[in-house]
Amino acid sequence: MADLTLAPIEIGFQSLLAVSSLATQPLADVETLAGKAPLSLFFLTVAPSGERKSSCDKLAMEPVQTWEEDQFAAYLHSRKSYEFELEVFESLHRKQVRVCSGSDGDVIETNAPQAPIAPIVPRKVLSDVTYEGLLHHFEDGDPSVGIFSDEGGQIFGGHAMSKDNQLKTSAGLSKVWDGAPLNRTRAGDTLTTFRHRRGCLHLMVQTGVAESVFSNETFRDQGLLSRCLISQPQSRIGQRLISEGADELQKRTAAKQTLADFHTRITGLLSQPHCTNGNPRELSPPTLELSPDARSRLVTFANEVERQQGKDGDLAHIAGFASKTAEQAARIAGVFSVLADPTTRVVTATVMWDAIRLMAWYLTEAQRALDVGHVDPSLHMAERLRVWLLDKMPREAFDKRTIVRFGPTSIRDTKTVEKLLGILERHHWIVRIPSTPVSGKKAATTWRVLSDV
């Protein structure tokens, strides 16, 4: 992937592992140190615009898109047959109702018509989706999906993650990661529960969006971030020089063949029949067991991570993430195992060691990315306001009303503005000036932002 796009290798790997999770999660669960878990993985990839996130995502997703297109043609044919059978059923049902309602006594109809079952919509990938939209998909859609977006800012900045929906959406996604039942309750409607579904996630976000996400108390406290495998690679912009030499051409040719082999493997996994419990919309995958040596290695890793979560330990500030590393390692090992052999039922020690080494790298990435949590989120918001003031009114007087009306959307409420202005004033980034009319209106208190030059 890196040879073909010249993007950081970490971005390509995130895309490939996310697609691998999507392809394997309906085929198996995996034994962990505390029961079993799905092969569903959540990823956050952080990189600036121009780092070729979309190029990597497109290459990795190619077999999934092709599978959806191929399956959709067959779905349309099945849908027509279903709609015809439904018309027949409804007609026979109405006739049966008339017969029963006109009878003098109780009528037991042993040959009552049976309603046809709607075909499953072959949609594997959802992009800009809300939690309600995800539940709506599970009504008649594929029970195993991926929420993928190379513009993750659309989700974090959209309706799904608005201030009113953040807790609901993050809690719902956490349940998807857990493989837990998903409940939907509507006024005037019965409770609907979607069981035995699977969902993975890969959101690519720019650095500014990531900073606001990582410092968001709701995401941290609820546990969504602790379930995400984060990568924030060093930028390669300015180093991606194209060479047409023989060695480079040979390298790209080999890369294309390797990627084609991966696509073939993913296509084969997507074509594998799902194990169900009789309901095609509910998965019942077998469980991969850990070999004794694999379990022993995982226990050693879990204990070492646990020790580092103690007071003043290196992982104390990301204990939520660190506490899930053993399970994450088991999930990754399960993905690797099924990717290599969809018929396997055992995770070997070698595969587990690969997963542990990778999980140790993710721990390091999480330490870097989530260190933003050491800083009071209010300071980040105050800095965002300061930058906005320097850009919008570097020499103008302003008051609270100006910011509430026109300031950054995330801080347009009076209490928050008052708090942030207090922070900026204490740190001498703004200064009070004699009361000055703002936009032609009298203001009780006005400030001016100080230049950072």
Side-chain angles (χ1 to χ4, degrees):
M1 188 78 78
D3 288 341
L4 292 174
T5 66
L6 301 182
I9 192 171
E10 295 91 338
I11 295 179
F13 181 77
Q14 291 276 94
S15 296
L16 294 171
L17 189 52
V19 169
S20 299
S21 175
L22 175 63
T24 58
Q25 67 182 2
L27 302 180
D29 290 339
V30 67
E31 180 186 358
T32 70
L33 299 181
K36 66 177 183 178
L39 302 188
S40 305
L41 299 171
F42 280 18
F43 298 91
L44 281 177
T45 301
V46 183
S49 178
E51 204 67 76
R52 299 179 179 169
K53 302 186 295 293
S54 298
S55 298
C56 290
D57 194 59
K58 182 178 180 181
L59 286 176
M61 292 292 292
E62 186 177 314
V64 182
Q65 303 292 352
T66 301
W67 182 88
E68 284 187 338
E69 292 174 4
D70 293 344
Q71 294 295 314
F72 199 73
Y75 165 76
L76 291 178
H77 177 75
S78 299
R79 184 75 190 182
K80 287 183 179 179
S81 299
Y82 162 74
E83 289 172 351
F84 173 76
E85 293 173 4
L86 184 61
E87 288 184 10
V88 172
F89 163 76
E90 290 175 343
S91 176
L92 293 174
H93 181 69
R94 287 192 296 269
K95 181 179 179 181
Q96 184 64 34
V97 169
R98 288 196 299 268
V99 170
C100 292
S101 61
S103 174
D104 293 334
D106 293 334
V107 175
I108 299 177
E109 177 57 62
T110 58
N111 295 320
Q114 298 297 312
I117 299 176
I120 293 176
V121 180
R123 185 180 297 113
K124 280 285 186 185
V125 179
L126 309 176
S127 53
D128 187 8
V129 63
T130 63
Y131 182 61
E132 290 81 3
L134 177 63
L135 296 182
H136 178 69
H137 164 85
F138 281 141
E139 288 181 348
D140 57 3
D142 197 298
S144 171
V145 297
I147 301 173
F148 289 1
S149 176
D150 57 1
E151 292 292 343
Q154 292 181 346
I155 292 181
F156 285 113
H159 179 72
M161 293 297 185
S162 67
K163 185 171 290 187
D164 293 335
N165 292 329
Q166 281 182 3
L167 182 58
K168 176 179 64 176
T169 300
S170 56
L173 290 176
S174 295
K175 283 190 173 184
V176 172
W177 186 85
D178 295 340
L182 308 174
N183 298 325
R184 180 176 64 192
T185 305
R186 291 177 176 170
D189 201 357
T190 58
L191 172 68
T192 304
T193 301
F194 301 97
R195 294 183 173 85
H196 308 301
R197 267 61 167 189
R198 296 291 183 267
C200 57
L201 176 143
H202 184 201
L203 302 180
M204 295 178 159
V205 298
Q206 296 190 19
T207 308
V209 175
E211 289 176 356
S212 64
V213 171
F214 295 156
S215 62
N216 186 291
E217 294 181 4
T218 298
F219 297 146
R220 294 176 72 98
D221 295 344
Q222 186 280 325
L224 178 61
L225 285 180
S226 66
R227 290 167 168 81
C228 292
L229 302 174
I230 302 169
S231 176
Q232 189 170 358
Q234 292 293 321
S235 175
R236 295 202 66 223
I237 296 176
Q239 307 171 39
R240 303 168 300 186
L241 304 181
I242 299 174
S243 172
E244 293 297 323
D247 290 344
E248 287 298 319
L249 291 176
Q250 184 177 5
K251 183 188 294 185
R252 289 200 290 272
T253 299
K256 289 179 181 178
Q257 182 58 55
T258 302
L259 187 61
D261 293 342
F262 175 80
H263 287 172
T264 300
R265 181 65 56 89
I266 294 298
T267 300
L269 291 171
L270 292 174
S271 302
Q272 291 279 328
H274 298 169
C275 292
T276 67
N277 56 7
N279 182 348
R281 288 171 174 75
E282 293 187 357
L283 298 168
S284 182
T287 301
L288 301 177
E289 295 183 355
L290 305 182
S291 71
D293 287 343
R295 185 178 181 86
S296 176
R297 287 187 171 183
L298 187 58
V299 167
T300 300
F301 175 62
N303 287 339
E304 177 59 29
V305 172
E306 180 65 25
R307 280 190 287 270
Q308 295 184 47
Q309 293 177 61
K311 185 179 179 180
D312 300 325
D314 291 342
L315 302 177
H317 67 289
I318 57 167
F321 180 88
S323 64
K324 293 179 174 58
T325 52
E327 180 175 333
Q328 294 273 33
R331 290 181 183 226
I332 293 171
V335 171
F336 285 169
S337 298
V338 178
L339 186 65
D341 179 8
T343 66
T344 189
R345 294 294 176 264
V346 176
V347 175
T348 65
T350 300
V351 173
M352 181 58 74
W353 179 238
D354 288 339
I356 289 172
R357 291 167 61 202
L358 179 57
M359 199 59 225
W361 177 81
Y362 276 122
L363 266 174
T364 303
E365 288 289 279
Q367 283 179 287
R368 286 199 304 119
L370 299 180
D371 268 347
V372 70
H374 283 293
V375 181
D376 185 344
S378 296
L379 296 181
H380 289 277
M381 296 174 69
E383 172 64 9
R384 192 176 302 121
L385 176 58
R386 185 187 73 86
V387 172
W388 181 86
L389 289 169
L390 284 170
D391 179 53
K392 301 298 183 182
M393 42 188 56
R395 298 177 182 86
E396 302 174 38
F398 62 88
D399 63 351
K400 289 187 297 185
R401 292 175 303 182
T402 305
I403 300 172
V404 171
R405 290 184 62 192
F406 305 110
T409 55
S410 60
I411 60 176
R412 289 185 186 176
D413 65 86
T414 302
K415 288 186 177 180
T416 301
V417 169
E418 289 176 347
K419 180 179 180 181
L420 299 184
L421 289 175
I423 293 174
L424 292 178
E425 193 170 8
R426 287 195 301 274
H427 288 79
H428 308 292
W429 284 114
I430 62 174
V431 61
R432 294 194 187 209
I433 59 176
S435 183
T436 304
V438 177
S439 300
K441 296 182 179 181
K442 185 178 180 180
T445 307
T446 54
W447 293 265
R448 180 171 58 85
V449 65
L450 297 177
S451 172
D452 56 352
V453 178

